[in-house]
Amino acid sequence: MADTVIDEEYLSEMENWITNQGEQFETFLGEYIQILFQTSMQGIAEGKTAEALKNYIGIASTLKNHVGSTSELAVQMLKNYKADIDETDSYLY
């Protein structure tokens, strides 16, 4: 039977990558919402398009912190996976 090899260094790199991507997305989303808000205040202030833009800003704003939370959850799942593997491995060896 072939051995299963877990590359813990790769998993650690993935934890860092996921964390960085979550933080970067949150930053971009904040900037995007700010641009939309400025556009609604200065460029499209009245009418149906302005109302639709305000609704869109509200919906986009609800995404704030969700990607960050999701990336934190993914990192925690990777950590739990490594811990589970280590625990199971300790019973085998």
Side-chain angles (χ1 to χ4, degrees):
M1 180 185 323
D3 291 337
T4 301
V5 178
I6 305 297
D7 187 351
E8 290 191 35
E9 184 178 329
Y10 174 75
L11 294 178
S12 294
E13 289 172 7
M14 288 306 300
E15 288 174 16
N16 292 333
W17 185 82
I18 291 169
T19 299
N20 290 337
Q21 292 300 308
E23 291 170 356
Q24 190 175 34
F25 182 84
E26 287 292 338
T27 299
F28 290 154
L29 181 61
E31 292 171 0
Y32 178 65
I33 292 170
Q34 186 62 34
I35 290 167
L36 290 173
F37 183 73
Q38 289 173 350
T39 301
S40 75
M41 297 303 288
Q42 298 171 0
I44 307 173
E46 296 178 18
K48 290 182 180 181
T49 303
E51 287 302 314
L53 182 56
K54 288 176 185 172
N55 289 334
Y56 181 76
I57 292 168
I59 293 167
S61 296
T62 62
L63 292 176
K64 286 209 53 75
N65 301 318
H66 285 289
V67 173
S69 298
T70 303
S71 66
E72 290 171 9
L73 178 63
V75 167
Q76 188 58 50
M77 289 175 72
L78 279 173
K79 289 180 180 180
N80 291 346
Y81 174 74
K82 287 194 302 188
D84 290 346
I85 292 296
D86 287 342
E87 181 181 343
T88 303
D89 192 40
S90 70
Y91 293 125
L92 297 175
Y93 299 101

